[in-house]
Amino acid sequence: MQSETKSRVDQLTSPAGHAVTVLRFEGDIASTSKDAVLGAYQTLPKATAKLILLDFTKVDYINSSGIALVIQLLIEASNSGQKVYAFGLSAHFTKVFTMVGITKYAQLFPSQTEALAAL
Amino acid sequence: MSEPKSTTVEVRLPSKMGFEKVAMSTAASVAKLMGFRDDRIEDLKTAIAEACINAIEHGNRLNEKLSVGVVLSAGPDQLEVKVIDDGKGMKTQPAKPDIDRKMHGEEDPRGMGMFLIQALVDEAEWVAGGDGKSSYVRLMIRLDKVVD
């Protein structure tokens, strides 16, 4: 019933010349998304992937279990000295992420262009 | 004096994760017909999804032989939603989630559902059935009047 979560990784360079690892999600982010969210994150090389950008552009539905997975990702990233940013959330999920406090640990941007420009 | 009329829509969901989306889309359709703004419909969808997930996971303990009832009662200026399961209800309300405690491993990363419900609707209450065999959460969202 829940649409499968897909994820893929892109390597980009910000206008300032920093290497940015983009983790792109597609589908629902719910309790069944552990492999697509945490699993995909855990494949990233911790020594070189220091700036991580989460792309929610193609995500329509995030529930509290999905938010918990994002928080787990943020915990692991924080423990590994990585910085996490996100873009592409709808206005509603931008509000929800702000309400639960995720924005204290992952700055949100409207678009990839704006996110990269800030990194 | 006549009572204000309300229209009722009922849905029964299997206790299986993912079916909360049926309740979300039904509630969104009713709210749209009532004239709710798009942002309030999104609030309602998330609140109902979380209420259904709690009912499926905690109330009915993922027992697919049990169903979750969703009753939407549309009044003139508000929409009331009851999400009914076969659980005993909650004895205590969980503490408000704290992102700093979660990030420092002092609190489970999960446990955001009830907080989201309370934050996104105008009223939310959890009611244990008198028979100890059912309980429900009642949500209420008011239709904001458009100011010209």
Coordinates of all heavy atoms in Angstrom, one line a residue, chain A residues 1-3 28 30-32 60-65 67-72 74-76 78-79 90 92-93 95-96 99-105, chain B residues 17-22 24 39-40 42-44 46 49-50 53 57 97-105 107 109-113 115-116 119-120:
Chain A
M1 N 0.8 -1.2 0.0 CA 0.0 0.0 0.0 C 0.9 1.3 0.0 O 0.5 2.2 -0.7 CB -0.9 0.0 1.2 CG -2.0 1.0 1.2 SD -3.2 0.8 -0.1 CE -4.1 2.3 0.1
Q2 N 2.0 1.2 0.8 CA 2.9 2.4 0.7 C 3.7 2.3 -0.5 O 4.2 1.2 -0.8 CB 3.7 2.4 2.0 CG 3.0 3.2 3.1 CD 3.6 3.0 4.5 OE1 4.5 2.1 4.6 NE2 3.2 3.7 5.4
S3 N 4.0 3.4 -1.2 CA 4.8 3.3 -2.3 C 6.3 3.1 -1.9 O 6.7 3.7 -0.9 CB 4.6 4.6 -3.2 OG 5.3 5.6 -2.7
D28 N 7.2 7.3 -0.8 CA 6.9 7.6 0.6 C 8.1 7.4 1.5 O 8.9 6.6 1.3 CB 5.8 6.7 1.1 CG 4.5 6.8 0.3 OD1 4.3 7.8 -0.4 OD2 3.7 5.9 0.4
A30 N 8.4 6.3 5.2 CA 7.6 5.7 6.3 C 8.5 4.6 6.9 O 9.7 4.5 6.7 CB 6.3 5.2 5.7
S31 N 7.8 3.8 7.8 CA 8.5 2.8 8.5 C 9.2 1.8 7.6 O 10.2 1.2 8.0 CB 7.6 2.1 9.5 OG 6.5 1.5 8.7
T32 N 8.7 1.6 6.4 CA 9.3 0.7 5.5 C 10.5 1.2 4.7 O 11.1 0.5 3.8 CB 8.3 0.2 4.4 OG1 7.7 1.4 3.9 CG2 7.2 -0.6 5.1
D60 N 6.2 12.6 -1.6 CA 4.8 13.2 -1.3 C 4.4 13.0 0.1 O 3.5 13.7 0.6 CB 3.8 12.5 -2.3 CG 4.1 12.8 -3.7 OD1 4.5 14.0 -4.0 OD2 3.9 12.0 -4.6
Y61 N 4.8 11.9 0.7 CA 4.3 11.5 2.0 C 5.4 11.2 3.0 O 6.2 10.3 2.7 CB 3.3 10.3 1.8 CG 2.8 9.7 3.1 CD1 2.1 10.4 4.0 CD2 3.0 8.3 3.3 CE1 1.6 9.8 5.2 CE2 2.5 7.7 4.5 CZ 1.8 8.5 5.4 OH 1.3 7.9 6.5
I62 N 5.4 11.8 4.1 CA 6.4 11.5 5.2 C 5.6 11.4 6.5 O 4.8 12.3 6.8 CB 7.5 12.6 5.4 CG1 8.1 13.0 4.0 CG2 8.5 12.1 6.3 CD1 9.1 14.2 4.1
N63 N 5.7 10.2 7.1 CA 5.0 10.1 8.4 C 6.0 10.2 9.6 O 7.2 10.3 9.4 CB 4.0 8.9 8.5 CG 4.7 7.6 8.4 OD1 5.9 7.5 8.8 ND2 4.1 6.6 7.9
S64 N 5.5 10.0 10.8 CA 6.3 10.2 12.0 C 7.4 9.1 12.0 O 8.6 9.4 12.5 CB 5.5 10.1 13.3 OG 4.8 8.9 13.4
S65 N 7.2 7.9 11.4 CA 8.2 6.9 11.4 C 9.3 7.3 10.4 O 10.5 7.1 10.6 CB 7.6 5.5 10.9 OG 6.7 5.1 11.8
I67 N 10.0 10.5 9.7 CA 10.7 11.6 10.4 C 11.8 11.0 11.3 O 12.9 11.5 11.4 CB 9.8 12.5 11.1 CG1 8.9 13.3 10.1 CG2 10.5 13.5 12.0 CD1 7.8 14.0 10.7
A68 N 11.4 9.9 12.0 CA 12.4 9.2 12.9 C 13.6 8.7 12.1 O 14.7 8.8 12.7 CB 11.7 8.1 13.7
L69 N 13.4 8.2 10.9 CA 14.5 7.7 10.1 C 15.4 8.9 9.8 O 16.7 8.8 9.8 CB 14.0 7.0 8.9 CG 13.3 5.7 9.1 CD1 12.8 5.2 7.7 CD2 14.3 4.7 9.6
V70 N 14.8 10.0 9.4 CA 15.6 11.2 9.1 C 16.4 11.7 10.3 O 17.6 12.0 10.2 CB 14.7 12.4 8.6 CG1 15.6 13.7 8.4 CG2 14.1 12.0 7.3
I71 N 15.8 11.6 11.5 CA 16.5 12.0 12.7 C 17.7 11.0 13.0 O 18.8 11.4 13.4 CB 15.6 12.0 13.9 CG1 14.6 13.2 13.8 CG2 16.3 12.2 15.3 CD1 13.5 13.3 14.8
Q72 N 17.4 9.7 12.8 CA 18.5 8.7 12.9 C 19.7 9.0 12.0 O 20.8 8.9 12.4 CB 18.0 7.3 12.7 CG 17.2 6.8 13.9 CD 16.6 5.4 13.6 OE1 15.5 5.2 13.1 NE2 17.5 4.4 13.8
L74 N 20.5 12.0 10.9 CA 21.1 13.2 11.4 C 22.0 12.8 12.6 O 23.1 13.4 12.8 CB 20.1 14.2 11.9 CG 19.2 14.8 10.7 CD1 18.2 15.8 11.3 CD2 20.1 15.5 9.7
I75 N 21.6 11.9 13.4 CA 22.4 11.5 14.6 C 23.7 10.8 14.1 O 24.8 11.2 14.6 CB 21.6 10.5 15.5 CG1 20.4 11.2 16.2 CG2 22.5 9.8 16.5 CD1 19.4 10.2 16.8
E76 N 23.6 9.9 13.1 CA 24.8 9.2 12.6 C 25.7 10.2 11.9 O 26.9 10.2 12.1 CB 24.4 8.1 11.7 CG 23.7 6.9 12.4 CD 23.6 5.7 11.5 OE1 24.4 5.5 10.5 OE2 22.6 4.9 11.7
S78 N 26.0 13.5 12.5 CA 26.6 14.3 13.6 C 27.7 13.6 14.2 O 28.8 14.2 14.5 CB 25.5 14.7 14.6 OG 26.0 15.4 15.7
N79 N 27.5 12.3 14.5 CA 28.6 11.5 15.2 C 29.8 11.3 14.3 O 30.9 11.0 14.7 CB 28.0 10.2 15.6 CG 27.0 10.3 16.8 OD1 27.0 11.3 17.5 ND2 26.2 9.3 16.9
S90 N 7.8 20.1 0.6 CA 6.6 21.0 0.4 C 6.5 22.0 1.5 O 7.2 21.8 2.6 CB 5.4 20.1 0.3 OG 5.2 19.5 1.6
H92 N 4.1 22.2 3.5 CA 3.6 21.5 4.7 C 4.7 20.8 5.4 O 4.8 20.9 6.7 CB 2.5 20.5 4.2 CG 2.0 19.7 5.4 ND1 1.3 20.2 6.4 CD2 2.1 18.3 5.6 CE1 1.0 19.2 7.3 NE2 1.5 18.1 6.8
F93 N 5.5 20.0 4.7 CA 6.5 19.3 5.4 C 7.7 20.2 5.8 O 8.4 19.8 6.8 CB 7.0 18.1 4.5 CG 6.0 17.0 4.6 CD1 5.3 16.6 3.4 CD2 5.7 16.3 5.8 CE1 4.3 15.7 3.5 CE2 4.8 15.3 5.8 CZ 4.0 15.0 4.7
K95 N 7.0 22.9 7.3 CA 6.4 23.3 8.6 C 6.6 22.2 9.6 O 7.0 22.4 10.7 CB 4.9 23.6 8.4 CG 4.2 24.0 9.7 CD 2.8 24.6 9.4 CE 1.8 23.5 9.2 NZ 0.4 24.0 9.2
V96 N 6.3 20.9 9.1 CA 6.4 19.8 10.1 C 7.9 19.6 10.5 O 8.1 19.4 11.7 CB 5.9 18.5 9.4 CG1 6.2 17.3 10.2 CG2 4.4 18.6 9.2
M99 N 8.5 22.2 13.1 CA 7.8 21.9 14.3 C 8.6 20.9 15.2 O 8.6 21.1 16.4 CB 6.4 21.4 14.0 CG 5.4 22.5 13.7 SD 3.9 21.8 13.0 CE 3.5 20.6 14.2
V100 N 9.1 19.9 14.6 CA 9.7 18.8 15.3 C 11.2 19.1 15.6 O 11.8 18.4 16.4 CB 9.6 17.4 14.7 CG1 8.1 17.0 14.5 CG2 10.3 17.4 13.4
G101 N 11.7 20.2 15.1 CA 13.0 20.7 15.5 C 14.2 20.2 14.6 O 15.3 20.5 14.8
I102 N 13.8 19.5 13.5 CA 14.9 19.0 12.6 C 15.7 20.2 12.0 O 16.9 20.0 11.8 CB 14.2 18.2 11.4 CG1 13.8 16.8 12.0 CG2 15.2 18.0 10.2 CD1 13.1 15.9 11.0
T103 N 15.1 21.4 11.9 CA 15.8 22.5 11.3 C 16.9 23.0 12.2 O 17.8 23.8 11.7 CB 14.8 23.6 11.0 OG1 14.0 23.8 12.1 CG2 14.0 23.3 9.8
K104 N 17.0 22.6 13.4 CA 18.1 22.9 14.3 C 19.4 22.2 13.8 O 20.5 22.6 14.1 CB 17.8 22.5 15.8 CG 17.0 23.6 16.5 CD 16.8 23.1 17.9 CE 18.0 23.5 18.8 NZ 17.8 23.2 20.2
Y105 N 19.1 21.0 13.2 CA 20.3 20.2 12.8 C 20.4 20.0 11.3 O 21.4 19.4 10.9 CB 20.1 18.8 13.5 CG 20.2 18.9 15.0 CD1 19.0 19.1 15.8 CD2 21.4 18.9 15.7 CE1 19.1 19.3 17.2 CE2 21.5 19.1 17.1 CZ 20.4 19.3 17.8 OH 20.5 19.4 19.2
Chain B
M17 N -0.3 -1.3 7.9 CA 0.4 0.0 7.6 C 0.2 0.3 6.1 O 0.4 -0.5 5.2 CB 1.9 -0.1 7.9 CG 2.2 -0.1 9.4 SD 1.5 1.4 10.2 CE 2.4 1.2 11.7
G18 N 0.0 1.6 5.9 CA -0.2 2.1 4.5 C -1.6 2.4 4.2 O -1.9 3.3 3.4
F19 N -2.6 1.7 4.9 CA -4.0 2.0 4.6 C -4.4 3.3 5.3 O -5.5 3.8 5.0 CB -4.8 0.8 5.1 CG -4.9 -0.3 4.1 CD1 -3.9 -1.2 4.1 CD2 -5.8 -0.3 3.1 CE1 -3.9 -2.2 3.1 CE2 -5.8 -1.3 2.1 CZ -4.9 -2.2 2.1
E20 N -3.5 3.9 6.1 CA -3.9 5.3 6.6 C -4.0 6.3 5.5 O -4.7 7.3 5.6 CB -2.8 5.7 7.6 CG -1.5 6.2 7.0 CD -0.5 5.0 6.8 OE1 -0.9 3.9 6.9 OE2 0.7 5.3 6.5
K21 N -3.4 5.9 4.3 CA -3.5 6.8 3.2 C -5.0 6.9 2.6 O -5.4 7.9 2.0 CB -2.5 6.5 2.1 CG -1.1 6.7 2.6 CD -0.1 6.2 1.7 CE 0.2 7.0 0.5 NZ 1.3 6.5 -0.4
V22 N -5.7 5.8 2.8 CA -7.1 5.8 2.4 C -7.9 6.8 3.2 O -8.7 7.6 2.7 CB -7.8 4.4 2.5 CG1 -9.2 4.4 2.2 CG2 -7.0 3.4 1.6
M24 N -6.6 9.4 4.8 CA -6.1 10.7 4.4 C -6.8 11.3 3.2 O -7.2 12.4 3.1 CB -4.6 10.7 4.1 CG -3.7 10.4 5.2 SD -2.0 10.1 4.7 CE -1.4 11.6 4.1
D39 N -3.6 24.4 2.9 CA -2.7 24.2 3.9 C -3.3 23.5 5.1 O -2.7 22.6 5.8 CB -2.0 25.5 4.4 CG -2.9 26.5 4.9 OD1 -4.0 26.7 4.4 OD2 -2.6 27.2 5.9
R40 N -4.6 23.8 5.4 CA -5.3 23.1 6.5 C -5.6 21.7 6.1 O -5.6 20.8 7.0 CB -6.6 23.9 6.9 CG -6.3 25.3 7.5 CD -5.6 25.2 8.7 NE -6.4 24.8 9.9 CZ -5.9 24.2 11.0 NH1 -4.7 23.8 11.0 NH2 -6.7 23.9 12.0
E42 N -3.7 19.8 4.3 CA -2.4 19.1 4.5 C -2.3 18.8 6.0 O -1.8 17.7 6.4 CB -1.3 19.9 4.0 CG -1.2 20.0 2.5 CD -1.2 18.7 1.8 OE1 -0.4 17.8 2.2 OE2 -2.0 18.4 0.9
D43 N -2.6 19.8 6.9 CA -2.5 19.6 8.3 C -3.4 18.4 8.7 O -3.0 17.5 9.5 CB -2.9 20.8 9.1 CG -2.0 22.0 9.0 OD1 -0.8 21.8 8.5 OD2 -2.4 23.1 9.4
L44 N -4.6 18.4 8.2 CA -5.6 17.4 8.6 C -5.1 16.0 8.1 O -5.2 15.0 8.8 CB -6.9 17.7 7.9 CG -8.1 16.7 8.1 CD1 -8.5 16.7 9.5 CD2 -9.3 17.1 7.2
T46 N -2.1 14.9 7.7 CA -1.0 14.4 8.5 C -1.5 13.9 9.9 O -1.2 12.9 10.4 CB 0.1 15.4 8.7 OG1 0.8 15.6 7.4 CG2 1.1 15.0 9.7
A49 N -3.4 10.7 9.4 CA -2.5 9.6 9.1 C -1.9 9.1 10.4 O -1.8 7.9 10.7 CB -1.4 10.1 8.2
E50 N -1.4 10.1 11.3 CA -0.8 9.7 12.5 C -1.8 9.0 13.5 O -1.4 8.0 14.2 CB -0.1 10.9 13.2 CG 1.0 11.5 12.4 CD 2.2 10.5 12.1 OE1 2.4 9.6 13.0 OE2 2.8 10.6 11.1
I53 N -2.2 5.5 12.1 CA -1.0 4.6 12.4 C -1.0 4.2 13.8 O -0.7 3.0 14.1 CB 0.3 5.5 12.0 CG1 0.4 5.6 10.5 CG2 1.5 4.8 12.6 CD1 1.4 6.7 10.1
E57 N -1.1 0.3 14.8 CA 0.1 -0.2 15.4 C -0.1 -0.5 16.9 O 0.3 -1.6 17.4 CB 1.3 0.7 15.2 CG 2.7 0.2 15.6 CD 3.8 1.2 15.3 OE1 3.5 2.3 14.8 OE2 5.0 0.8 15.6
P97 N 8.0 15.6 22.4 CA 9.4 15.2 21.9 C 10.4 16.4 22.0 O 10.0 17.5 21.8 CB 9.1 14.8 20.5 CG 7.8 15.3 20.1 CD 7.0 15.5 21.4
D98 N 11.6 16.0 22.2 CA 12.7 17.0 22.4 C 13.8 16.6 21.4 O 14.5 15.6 21.6 CB 13.2 17.0 23.8 CG 14.3 18.0 24.1 OD1 15.1 18.3 23.2 OD2 14.3 18.5 25.2
I99 N 14.0 17.4 20.4 CA 14.9 17.1 19.3 C 16.4 17.0 19.9 O 17.2 16.1 19.4 CB 14.9 18.1 18.1 CG1 15.7 17.6 16.9 CG2 15.3 19.4 18.5 CD1 15.2 16.3 16.3
D100 N 16.7 17.8 20.8 CA 18.1 17.8 21.4 C 18.3 16.5 22.1 O 19.4 15.9 22.0 CB 18.3 19.0 22.3 CG 18.2 20.3 21.6 OD1 18.6 20.4 20.4 OD2 17.7 21.3 22.2
R101 N 17.3 16.0 22.9 CA 17.5 14.8 23.6 C 17.5 13.6 22.6 O 18.3 12.6 22.8 CB 16.3 14.6 24.6 CG 16.4 15.5 25.8 CD 15.2 15.3 26.7 NE 14.9 13.9 27.1 CZ 15.5 13.3 28.0 NH1 16.5 13.8 28.7 NH2 15.2 12.0 28.3
K102 N 16.8 13.7 21.5 CA 16.8 12.7 20.5 C 18.2 12.6 19.9 O 18.8 11.6 19.7 CB 15.8 12.9 19.4 CG 14.3 12.6 19.9 CD 13.3 12.9 18.8 CE 11.9 12.8 19.3 NZ 11.5 11.6 19.9
M103 N 18.7 13.8 19.5 CA 20.0 13.9 18.9 C 21.1 13.4 19.8 O 22.2 12.9 19.3 CB 20.3 15.3 18.4 CG 19.5 15.8 17.2 SD 19.8 14.9 15.7 CE 21.5 15.3 15.3
H104 N 21.0 13.5 21.1 CA 22.0 13.0 22.0 C 21.7 11.6 22.5 O 22.4 11.2 23.5 CB 22.1 14.0 23.1 CG 22.7 15.4 22.7 ND1 21.9 16.5 22.6 CD2 23.9 15.7 22.3 CE1 22.6 17.5 22.1 NE2 23.9 17.0 21.9
G105 N 20.8 10.9 21.9 CA 20.5 9.5 22.3 C 19.8 9.4 23.6 O 19.8 8.3 24.2
E107 N 16.6 10.1 24.0 CA 15.2 9.9 23.8 C 15.1 9.1 22.5 O 15.9 9.4 21.5 CB 14.5 11.3 23.7 CG 13.0 11.2 23.6 CD 12.5 12.7 23.6 OE1 12.6 13.4 24.6 OE2 11.9 13.0 22.5
P109 N 14.2 8.2 18.8 CA 14.0 9.1 17.6 C 12.5 9.0 17.2 O 12.0 10.0 16.6 CB 14.8 8.5 16.5 CG 15.9 7.7 17.2 CD 15.3 7.2 18.5
R110 N 11.8 7.9 17.6 CA 10.4 7.9 17.2 C 9.5 8.6 18.2 O 10.1 9.3 19.1 CB 9.9 6.4 17.2 CG 10.5 5.6 16.1 CD 10.2 4.1 16.2 NE 8.8 3.9 16.5 CZ 8.0 3.4 15.6 NH1 8.3 3.2 14.4 NH2 6.7 3.2 15.9
G111 N 8.2 8.5 18.1 CA 7.4 9.1 19.2 C 7.0 10.6 18.8 O 6.8 11.4 19.7
M112 N 6.8 10.9 17.6 CA 6.4 12.2 17.1 C 4.9 12.3 16.8 O 4.4 13.4 16.7 CB 7.2 12.6 15.9 CG 8.7 12.7 16.0 SD 9.1 14.3 16.8 CE 10.9 14.3 16.5
G113 N 4.3 11.1 16.7 CA 2.9 11.1 16.2 C 1.9 11.9 16.9 O 1.2 12.8 16.4
F115 N 2.4 14.3 19.1 CA 2.7 15.7 19.1 C 2.2 16.3 17.8 O 1.7 17.4 17.8 CB 4.3 15.8 19.2 CG 4.8 17.2 18.9 CD1 4.6 18.2 19.8 CD2 5.5 17.4 17.7 CE1 5.0 19.5 19.5 CE2 5.9 18.7 17.4 CZ 5.7 19.7 18.3
L116 N 2.5 15.6 16.7 CA 2.0 16.2 15.4 C 0.5 16.4 15.4 O 0.0 17.4 14.9 CB 2.5 15.3 14.3 CG 4.0 15.4 13.9 CD1 4.3 14.4 12.9 CD2 4.4 16.8 13.5
A119 N -0.5 19.3 17.4 CA 0.0 20.6 16.9 C -0.8 21.0 15.6 O -0.8 22.2 15.3 CB 1.5 20.5 16.6
L120 N -1.3 20.1 14.9 CA -1.9 20.3 13.6 C -3.4 20.5 13.5 O -3.9 21.0 12.5 CB -1.5 19.2 12.6 CG 0.0 19.2 12.3 CD1 0.4 17.9 11.5 CD2 0.5 20.4 11.5

